[in-house]
Amino acid sequence: MRPTPPRRRRSSVRLTRRGRLVVSAACALTLAAVVAVIVNALLPDEHEQPPQMLTIPEGWRARQVYEAVDKALAAPAGTTKKSLATAHLALPQEARGNPEGYLFPATYPITGQTTPGGLLAEMVETANKKFSGGGVAAGAQGNALNVYQAVIIASVVQAEAAAPDDMGKVARIIYNRLSRGMPLQMDSTINYALNRSTVHTTEKDTKLDSPYNSYTRMGLPPTPIGNPGDQAMRAAVAPTPGDWLYFVTVKPGDTRFTSSYEEQMRNVAEFNRNHRAARMAS
């Protein structure tokens, strides 16, 4: 009879029911902690404030933009304008450091890290992207202009047109007057020189000694007179075909374009009558 060899002891450790419960609970706690870390990483910090948004309307002048940035950043008045000296804006050489026309109208986020110079740089960068694409550069060249000149025209169109549908016609009048050697005679350029906004220009105004007086100075004003948007830029490089030389908004919703000086004078007289009647009624 062969002797039975001694039984080997099991090397693994078996957990009791209670031990298994303890381990399962520990694993569950570990998994919950991992999930919590992942969820917390994905969720925004409840103390983190959403970025504030600053909207720059189409046609605003640089001065208005500076004031809006100062207010949005709770900075002392004049801070944003002073930042131009160190902002290193990517402006065209023709601008000579003046960002007028290149502070592109759009909505920009503002966080705790936003600086005046950084915000201006973002506006200029946006303008450069807009003006270098979408046919703007090619359209300017097709009209024997550089992009900066197209921006100047667009800024006048933005200021003068009573409605978006009028922009192409206003741009055409600018081209027609330039090609005929006529002064532009745009009230908006005088308003810019006088830092005002009005639809009335006096005879005294037309004698203003300023490079922005388009009644006495030939050609385009030396710089843009505001910051134009997309529609004005498109109108500036692709004006509506036509022979118009004059226009006037006789009343809201009624802008009349003509190539006849006599007809323009009749339209202006009607505008003056409407204005006097409105003033007396008020």
Side-chain angles (χ1 to χ4, degrees):
M1 181 174 182
R2 297 178 62 187
T4 302
R7 302 179 67 179
R8 295 183 179 179
R9 299 181 62 183
R10 298 175 66 92
S11 60
S12 61
V13 178
R14 299 181 63 184
L15 294 176
T16 64
R17 183 172 180 274
R18 181 179 179 183
R20 288 196 297 271
L21 290 174
V22 171
V23 171
S24 296
C27 290
L29 290 172
T30 301
L31 179 60
V34 171
V35 171
V37 170
I38 295 175
V39 170
N40 287 335
L42 295 176
L43 291 176
D45 186 351
E46 63 179 1
H47 299 294
E48 183 180 346
Q49 297 295 324
Q52 178 184 351
M53 308 305 289
L54 173 62
T55 297
I56 304 300
E58 296 175 347
W60 262 17
R61 299 168 184 166
R63 173 186 57 80
Q64 294 171 290
V65 176
Y66 301 152
E67 292 173 355
V69 173
D70 284 344
K71 184 176 180 180
L73 298 181
T79 299
T80 301
K81 186 175 182 179
K82 291 178 182 177
S83 72
L84 291 173
T86 56
H88 305 296
L89 303 179
L91 295 169
Q93 184 176 0
E94 298 91 337
R96 298 181 180 180
N98 179 1
E100 190 75 87
Y102 280 75
L103 302 176
F104 196 80
T107 298
Y108 298 92
I110 295 178
T111 67
Q113 289 71 47
T114 301
T115 64
L119 191 52
L120 295 182
E122 185 177 357
M123 294 178 189
V124 172
E125 181 181 358
T126 302
N128 284 326
K129 289 179 180 178
K130 294 280 187 177
F131 300 161
S132 63
V136 171
Q141 186 176 8
N143 286 289
L145 303 173
N146 59 37
V147 171
Y148 189 70
Q149 291 170 320
V151 175
I152 293 176
I153 292 177
S155 72
V156 176
V157 169
Q158 186 79 66
E160 290 282 348
D165 290 344
D166 294 336
M167 288 183 173
K169 293 181 179 180
V170 174
R172 174 54 64 191
I173 287 177
I174 293 174
Y175 281 103
N176 287 347
R177 282 179 161 266
L178 290 173
S179 67
R180 287 166 173 76
M182 298 173 64
L184 295 185
Q185 295 183 324
M186 297 289 177
D187 295 349
S188 58
T189 63
I190 291 180
N191 283 339
Y192 184 77
L194 296 174
N195 192 25
R196 69 181 190 188
S197 295
T198 180
V199 295
H200 295 282
T201 300
T202 66
E203 184 177 354
K204 180 180 178 182
D205 292 337
T206 63
K207 297 177 181 179
L208 178 70
D209 183 15
S210 167
Y212 292 94
N213 184 354
S214 60
Y215 278 80
T216 59
R217 305 295 178 99
M218 301 298 293
L220 296 173
T223 72
I225 61 170
N227 294 280
D230 283 321
Q231 287 180 298
M233 282 302 303
R234 287 194 295 268
V237 298
T240 304
D243 63 352
W244 311 288
L245 292 171
Y246 311 96
F247 74 100
V248 61
T249 300
V250 175
K251 59 184 177 181
D254 184 7
T255 299
R256 300 177 189 176
F257 296 83
T258 181
S259 59
S260 166
Y261 178 76
E262 290 74 18
E263 184 178 354
Q264 172 69 0
M265 290 299 95
R266 290 193 294 270
N267 291 335
V268 170
E270 185 174 345
F271 162 79
N272 288 330
R273 288 195 300 271
N274 291 338
H275 176 71
R276 284 195 297 268
R279 188 169 53 187
M280 291 177 63
S282 61

